[in-house]
Amino acid sequence: MLAAAAVTLTACGSGDSKKDQPVADVSMESAKDRAATVLDKPFKKPDLVLKDTHGKKYDLREQTKGKPVLLYYGYTNCPDVCPLTMSNIAVAKKSLLQKKAVTKAELDKLQVVFVTTDPERDTGKELGKWLKAQDPEFVGLTGDFPTIQGSARTVGISIEPSKKLKNGKIESMHGTQVVAFSPKSDAGYVVYNGKDATAKDYEQDLPKILEGRNP
């Protein structure tokens, strides 16, 4: 039986605060040089109902049931981690198809869901335009902030309301984790740190994630 460790979730942007940050039980089999952390106690998929980029109701549990899912909380005006994370996943998908490591039918089962942490600015239209530049198959969700924040907490991710900085810019603090959900159990069993996980990491792990196996 592998021991469990606690990992502190970080936030995107400057001025990270460790106060009241959640922790997750993780398996020690995830070495320091690995991007993926396999959870000893998987997260339940958030009971989250928001609007997609077309303004239609989207029930996360219902519409991703039995499918492999990568869930990420971020915002379109994010200067660094958010676009990099989405780009890495998109590049990994394209590479897997080019190398014929998976079939298109297999990869089509993957649901990459981006939930905005800045719903006041990230309207469905803005979110859709931003995600389309990354991968038109990505799902974008927006809605009221308390609902979004509450759902993030259930998977160990801390997010804060957007705030205006002294320089006039608006910042949205959020955890940078990508949570992978198994198609077998619908549980979030693997966590990636968006700051560290590369396109190569996702390319290596996705064939296993698609089947619900440990990367």
Side-chain angles (χ1 to χ4, degrees):
M1 200 80 173
L2 296 173
V7 60
T8 302
L9 304 184
T10 58
C12 173
S14 59
D16 291 0
S17 171
K18 293 184 178 181
K19 184 180 179 181
D20 297 327
Q21 285 185 330
V23 296
D25 290 327
V26 303
S27 171
M28 291 299 289
E29 68 179 338
S30 59
K32 292 182 179 180
D33 60 346
R34 287 184 56 80
T37 299
V38 180
L39 302 181
D40 286 334
K41 297 180 181 179
F43 293 116
K44 289 184 178 179
K45 189 175 290 181
D47 184 9
L48 181 62
V49 180
L50 295 172
K51 293 291 182 67
D52 65 16
T53 55
H54 302 290
K56 295 181 179 179
K57 176 183 173 182
Y58 189 97
D59 186 321
L60 182 66
R61 285 185 176 177
E62 184 64 30
Q63 293 181 239
T64 63
K65 187 176 182 180
K67 299 178 181 179
V69 177
L70 294 181
L71 178 65
Y72 183 75
Y73 290 83
Y75 66 115
T76 64
N77 286 282
C78 177
D80 39 44
V81 181
C82 301
L84 178 61
T85 299
M86 292 295 101
S87 176
N88 283 339
I89 296 172
V91 169
K93 287 179 58 184
K94 291 179 182 177
S95 184
L96 285 170
L97 285 178
Q98 290 173 351
K99 295 178 180 179
K100 297 183 179 180
V102 297
T103 66
K104 188 175 186 307
E106 290 172 332
L107 197 56
D108 282 346
K109 295 177 183 178
L110 178 66
Q111 305 294 298
V112 180
V113 181
F114 182 97
V115 182
T116 182
T117 59
D118 185 20
E120 286 193 14
R121 289 188 295 170
D122 283 346
T123 61
K125 182 179 179 180
E126 289 299 317
L127 191 53
K129 183 168 61 175
W130 188 81
L131 287 173
K132 187 176 181 180
Q134 302 282 354
D135 185 323
E137 294 181 353
F138 287 172
V139 176
L141 301 180
T142 187
D144 64 280
F145 183 80
T147 297
I148 293 169
Q149 184 182 50
S151 71
R153 285 174 177 165
T154 67
V155 289
I157 297 176
S158 177
I159 64 175
E160 300 175 8
S162 298
K163 62 181 180 180
K164 193 171 185 177
L165 305 179
K166 292 182 179 179
N167 60 11
K169 293 183 178 180
I170 296 176
E171 180 182 65
S172 177
M173 299 294 287
H174 62 91
T176 62
Q177 287 67 28
V178 176
V179 184
F181 292 81
S182 168
K184 295 180 179 179
S185 63
D186 282 320
Y189 73 116
V190 179
V191 174
Y192 294 88
N193 189 331
K195 288 185 176 181
D196 301 323
T198 65
K200 195 68 179 177
D201 291 322
Y202 290 114
E203 181 183 339
Q204 175 180 298
D205 293 352
L206 277 178
K208 295 178 180 178
I209 296 293
L210 293 176
E211 298 178 357
R213 294 186 289 128
N214 287 356

